[in-house]
Amino acid sequence: APRHLLSIADLTPAELTTLVRNAHRHKTTITSVNEIPLSLRSALAGKTVAMTFSKRSTRTRVSTEGAIAALGGSPMFLGKDDIQLGVNESLYDTARIISSMTAAIVARVGPHSDVADLAKYSSVPVINALSDLYHPLQIIADVLTIAEVNLSSSSTSLGLEGIKIAWIGDANNVLFDLAIGATKLGMDISVATPNGYEIPEAMRAVINQAASTAPKPGKLFETTVPEEAIKDADILVTDTWVSMGQEEDTAKRLKAFEGFQITSELAKRGGAKENWTFMHCLPRHPEEVSNEVFHGPRSVVFREGENRLWAAISALEAFVVNKGKIL
Ligand code: CP
Ligand code: NVA
């Protein structure tokens, strides 16, 4: 069976580190010489990678299509109105058929079980391009961004131990994979969510289990008070309060999340570290972060966005070109 990338939980701490290091190496070499190294240029030549997306996407689509093209392959974008899946054909039949003609499937889905089932029935690697539980490609880019902003590049580990991340907002897919990745790499993560929007118990168990695979795991703290999460944080991060598929609850959610907007005053009141930086996977809405922070000097959101490309190249290289060997 092929090896799939459905969540950061599928990676050992060393593998996550290698994926991030490779992403960084590709970024440095490709940007400095302004071209793709020969070894990568034709890695997927003559191959098609299917991209089945049941939801909108800017970054994931552009970075993944760009990464496939950079490796010499042909991306085939299949939006929900393009294929029979869901209307006229089962996931099983779709997985069998698409995987019989392609080198990999990059899938954006609603319920995580859809991408898990796709992986179960596919004869080629499946990469999760966002489900309601996880967003691994985002987190590879996020760890790269954290490493670039906070570090000198050190030996085999990324040297992120001791960094503290504060997540202020919704307990969602991006948070779950970020918490898994952070704690695997020895970073602490403090999560502030409003009452009633906490990390579900089953997910808390997944995060703690993932952390336990690390030599020096980071810790997960949870609170309903943003200031408590922010104390001594190096990084303040959030995401939308209304994820795709939750649009019906918009009014209720906007009310529940009042007071959770990331602003300079909140960071100060909470006692963030002097040099805190701001991250957001995007797309961004003004309610979750003030314009001042979002467009200010602490914000690394556009670097984080660009890093999606380098993360996608690294993930495709590992899971498609090298068949799941993360070297
Ligand atoms: N961050 C992210 O996944 O953005 P898109 O929804 O635009 O792909
Ligand atoms: N949590 C958001 C992330 C979008 C990239 C969503 O699922 O819509």
Side-chain angles (χ1 to χ4, degrees), residues 2 6 75 82 108 123 146 159 171 174 176 185 203 224 231 233 263 312 315-316 321:
L6 302 189
D82 298 322
R108 174 165 282 201
S123 56
I146 294 171
V174 174
F176 301 152
L185 298 178
M203 182 53 66
T224 55
K231 181 99 192 95
T263 61
L316 286 163
V321 178

Side-chain angles (χ1 to χ4, degrees), residues 191-235:
V191 177
T193 53
N195 262 317
Y197 292 87
E198 295 84 359
I199 301 175
E201 181 53 44
M203 182 53 66
R204 188 174 298 122
V206 172
I207 298 167
N208 288 328
Q209 160 60 30
S212 72
T213 64
K216 277 195 246 152
K219 291 189 206 69
L220 168 70
F221 301 96
E222 291 176 80
T223 171
T224 55
V225 182
E227 286 86 344
E228 274 178 27
I230 287 169
K231 181 99 192 95
D232 294 329
D234 299 281
I235 299 159

Side-chain angles (χ1 to χ4, degrees), residues 56-60 108 135 138 244 281-283 308:
R56 291 183 306 274
S57 169
T58 299
R59 279 140 291 269
T60 309
R108 174 165 282 201
H135 198 3
Q138 180 68 52
M244 289 181 278
C281 65
L282 312 180
R308 293 293 309 272

Side-chain angles (χ1 to χ4, degrees), residues 55-56 59-60 108 129-132 135 138 167 170 172-175 239-247 281-283 308:
K55 291 177 169 177
R56 291 183 306 274
R59 279 140 291 269
T60 309
R108 174 165 282 201
L130 180 135
S131 68
D132 64 351
H135 198 3
Q138 180 68 52
W167 176 281
D170 191 22
N172 67 15
N173 41 13
V174 174
L175 168 65
D239 181 14
T240 182
W241 296 342
V242 186
S243 283
M244 289 181 278
Q246 298 175 332
E247 291 80 0
C281 65
L282 312 180
R308 293 293 309 272

Side-chain angles (χ1 to χ4, degrees), residues 24-259:
H24 184 249
R25 183 161 44 81
H26 296 325
K27 178 176 185 175
T28 320
T29 45
I30 295 171
T31 2
S32 65
V33 295
N34 211 11
E35 62 180 30
I36 316 287
L38 263 180
S39 57
L40 281 179
R41 210 175 292 171
S42 56
L44 293 179
K47 296 189 174 156
T48 302
V49 175
M51 300 173 53
T52 59
F53 277 45
S54 74
K55 291 177 169 177
R56 291 183 306 274
S57 169
T58 299
R59 279 140 291 269
T60 309
R61 177 172 179 180
V62 173
S63 60
T64 313
E65 287 207 26
I68 295 163
L71 298 176
S74 301
M76 180 186 285
F77 186 81
L78 303 166
K80 68 175 183 330
D81 296 327
D82 298 322
I83 52 174
Q84 307 279 12
L85 175 66
V87 180
N88 212 13
E89 195 160 29
S90 70
L91 214 132
Y92 175 83
D93 295 4
T94 306
R96 291 283 307 263
I97 290 295
I98 295 183
S99 66
S100 72
M101 298 186 239
T102 57
I105 303 174
V106 179
R108 174 165 282 201
V109 300
H112 186 72
S113 58
D114 280 2
V115 72
D117 284 346
L118 202 53
K120 192 155 114 199
Y121 306 132
S122 167
S123 56
V124 296
V126 172
I127 296 179
N128 179 5
L130 180 135
S131 68
D132 64 351
L133 293 186
Y134 302 112
H135 198 3
L137 294 172
Q138 180 68 52
I139 277 37
I140 298 168
D142 287 1
V143 175
L144 170 60
T145 311
I146 294 171
E148 285 177 334
V149 171
N150 289 277
L151 293 184
S152 54
S153 68
S154 58
S155 59
T156 50
S157 91
L158 289 168
L160 300 174
E161 292 87 359
I163 286 178
K164 181 174 167 186
I165 301 171
W167 176 281
I168 311 300
D170 191 22
N172 67 15
N173 41 13
V174 174
L175 168 65
F176 301 152
D177 252 346
L178 179 64
I180 291 168
T183 53
K184 269 183 192 280
L185 298 178
M187 292 185 274
D188 292 336
I189 179 160
S190 299
V191 177
T193 53
N195 262 317
Y197 292 87
E198 295 84 359
I199 301 175
E201 181 53 44
M203 182 53 66
R204 188 174 298 122
V206 172
I207 298 167
N208 288 328
Q209 160 60 30
S212 72
T213 64
K216 277 195 246 152
K219 291 189 206 69
L220 168 70
F221 301 96
E222 291 176 80
T223 171
T224 55
V225 182
E227 286 86 344
E228 274 178 27
I230 287 169
K231 181 99 192 95
D232 294 329
D234 299 281
I235 299 159
L236 270 52
V237 53
T238 192
D239 181 14
T240 182
W241 296 342
V242 186
S243 283
M244 289 181 278
Q246 298 175 332
E247 291 80 0
E248 271 181 18
D249 292 339
T250 301
K252 193 172 136 219
R253 285 180 158 266
L254 295 190
K255 179 125 196 55
F257 284 81
E258 265 171 25

Side-chain angles (χ1 to χ4, degrees), residues 267-319:
K268 195 159 187 204
R269 223 171 37 243
K273 290 235 182 82
E274 183 80 22
N275 293 323
W276 63 273
T277 50
F278 174 73
M279 294 178 67
H280 190 309
C281 65
L282 312 180
R284 169 255 176 170
H285 315 82
E287 61 266 15
E288 67 254 10
V289 55
S290 66
N291 282 332
E292 184 223 349
V293 169
F294 187 79
H295 294 293
R298 297 173 181 280
S299 174
V300 295
V301 296
F302 294 108
R303 177 197 280 256
E304 182 183 1
E306 182 208 314
N307 281 342
R308 293 293 309 272
L309 174 64
W310 313 112
I313 293 178
S314 177
L316 286 163
E317 175 188 42
F319 283 85

